[in-house]
Every structure is written in C-alpha cells, then in structure tokens.
Amino acid sequence: MAVSVDPPAVTQKHLTKTGWTYTFLADPEAKVVRLYDLQHDVGGGKIISRPAELLIDPTGTVRWVDLTDDFRVRTRPETVLGVFDRLAGGAR
Amino acid sequence: MERTRNFLPLAGLLVCLVGFLSYFFVFYQFPVTRDLPWVSWLLFALGLGLVVIGVRRPFRQPERYRGRRLGPVLALLSLFVVGFFVFATTVASRQLPASAGAPKVGQQVPDFVLPDSAGRPVRLYDLLGAKAGGSGPASWVVLIFYRGYW
C-alpha cells in the first residue's frame, strides 16, 4: 500500500498508465506523512513525503523499515519480499 | 594551408548533455541505471575525452586546426554540465530531513484513514486485521511513502 501527497486524480492517471493494482492512498495535506514524521519541505510551501518503506506485522508493529538517505535510491521489491520471507517464515 | 574547423569540443559538449538529460528522461525509470548512474558516467567520460583532445588540437597543430578560443569555452561548459550532474546526484538528492520521529523497528505504527485513488476511505488497522484491533483477517502490510508526481 502506497501513500503520497498526490490527489486521487493524479494517482488514478498514474495507475491507468502503469496498470498497477495495489492500493494507493492520497494524503494531499500531508497529514499522515507528518504523523509518521516523513515530511520533506521541498520549498515554495510544498510538503511532500520522503521515500520510505515500512513492513508492518498483523499486530501493527514495524518489523523492518528503510528510510533511504538518497531519494534517488529506493528499496527494490525483491528486498522487501526477502525480508518478509525471513520474518514471516513463508506465511505469504 | 586552409585550417579545418575543430568540431571535437562541440561534439564532447553534446555527448555530455546527452549523458545529463538521458539520466532524467530515460535511465531514472530503471533501478539498475538510477541507483548508480553508470550510463551517464560513461557518456561523460567519452564526452570529456573528446573535449580534451579537441581543446589540445589547435595548440599542438595550429597550422591544421582552428578553435583556440572557442575550444576552452566549450570545455568549461562541458565541465559545468558534468559538475551540475554530480552535484544533483550526490549532494542535492541527499538533502533529506532527519525524520527522527519516524516509526522504528519494534514500535507500533499510528493508525490512519485516507482515501484511495477512487476516493474510498481505507483504514490501515482494518488491513492489518483483528490482531491490531481492526476488522478483517490478520495480514502483513508493506507501507510505502513516495514523493509523488504532484
């Protein structure tokens, strides 16, 4: 599940283009981004989210997190899947 | 003898520009060429190589090549392009907040409700399920925050 400050219409356009089907949430006022202390002021009064990935278990506990130190470099899907297989023991 | 135009510094600058622009328009889309911008580095090496040869030519063989003034100017422009790229991909892209209050491993994440791309409200703890106090079967969640396209 992904969160950004994009309004739903922008995200819908992007999903139509890419064909991605997982859940994308809209946080245009960066409320949840701030709640998670991931806000990044990019100037001009615009607050966006820094890239961040969290793996959360069914009790709501963070089991793995990646706050990249370079916004060009993001977690790759196979990394998260590898961590999940290790932590959840094949519960997928 | 008629002296030839010295096109190498201009060619070098153009190769450097291609290395710069192709990263943001093409190679940024793919993790293998985005994380480490090796395609741009190769193009910069080629471009600067052409520039170096091109700048030296009119001084070493002044009877054959023109461009003793324009060559160094184009060389400076090429260096500026490469320098700006290095700055953008090593310094600027690391300008991120400390995020000291972000959830850490072992901590409980705060619950929230946000609309999805169709405007339907989605609650995090409902996706996690009964163990977290939400509705639905227990499930892990990968929560991704991304910069967006705004």
Side-chain angles (χ1 to χ4, degrees), chain B:
Chain B
M1 192 176 90
E2 184 74 18
R3 291 184 305 164
T4 359
R5 290 189 84 91
N6 183 19
F7 64 89
L8 279 186
L10 181 62
L13 173 62
L14 290 177
V15 170
C16 288
L17 277 174
V18 168
F20 186 96
L21 295 173
S22 63
Y23 180 75
F24 296 99
F25 287 102
V26 181
F27 299 114
Y28 199 79
Q29 297 169 45
F30 313 104
V32 279
T33 45
R34 181 182 61 216
D35 294 358
L36 205 66
W38 58 273
V39 178
S40 299
W41 291 348
L42 283 179
L43 286 168
F44 290 149
L46 175 67
L48 292 180
L50 293 174
V51 167
V52 167
I53 297 169
V55 166
R56 288 164 75 171
R57 261 192 337 190
F59 291 95
R60 294 194 159 181
Q61 298 164 280
E63 70 290 350
R64 279 191 65 191
Y65 293 108
R66 298 163 40 162
R68 291 167 70 143
R69 269 172 305 183
L70 195 55
V73 172
L74 294 169
L76 271 180
L77 282 174
S78 305
L79 281 178
F80 177 77
V81 169
V82 174
F84 187 68
F85 183 87
V86 170
F87 172 79
T89 55
T90 57
V91 180
S93 64
R94 289 175 178 272
Q95 298 300 309
L96 286 167
S99 302
K104 294 174 182 63
V105 171
Q107 288 180 350
Q108 191 84 10
V109 288
D111 194 12
F112 60 81
V113 179
L114 282 176
D116 69 10
S117 56
R120 291 176 298 243
V122 174
R123 184 178 167 224
L124 173 64
Y125 275 33
D126 281 343
L127 295 178
L128 293 168
K131 279 191 197 169
S135 64
S139 173
W140 290 65
V141 168
V142 178
L143 183 58
I144 301 165
F145 289 85
Y146 67 105
R147 288 163 59 87
Y149 301 86
W150 22 298

Side-chain angles (χ1 to χ4, degrees), chain A residues 2-92:
Chain A
V3 177
S4 80
V5 296
D6 286 342
V10 172
T11 304
Q12 191 56 57
K13 211 173 124 194
H14 187 63
L15 297 187
T16 307
K17 206 170 89 182
T18 57
W20 293 343
T21 54
Y22 60 99
T23 309
F24 279 71
L25 303 181
D27 185 15
E29 288 152 45
K31 279 185 191 158
V32 172
V33 169
R34 274 183 252 252
L35 179 67
Y36 278 63
D37 195 22
L38 298 170
Q39 68 275 17
H40 181 191
D41 187 345
V42 287
K46 185 73 186 173
I47 303 278
I48 63 166
S49 177
R50 69 180 289 154
E53 290 87 13
L54 299 100
L55 181 61
I56 305 165
D57 76 12
T59 69
T61 305
V62 180
R63 298 296 297 275
W64 175 89
V65 62
D66 179 19
L67 307 181
T68 180
D69 61 0
D70 183 331
F71 65 66
R72 293 180 307 107
V73 182
R74 317 282 171 86
T75 305
R76 298 191 188 181
E78 57 270 27
T79 307
V80 183
L81 291 174
V83 172
F84 176 75
D85 284 340
R86 185 163 51 78
L87 290 176
R92 176 144 43 122

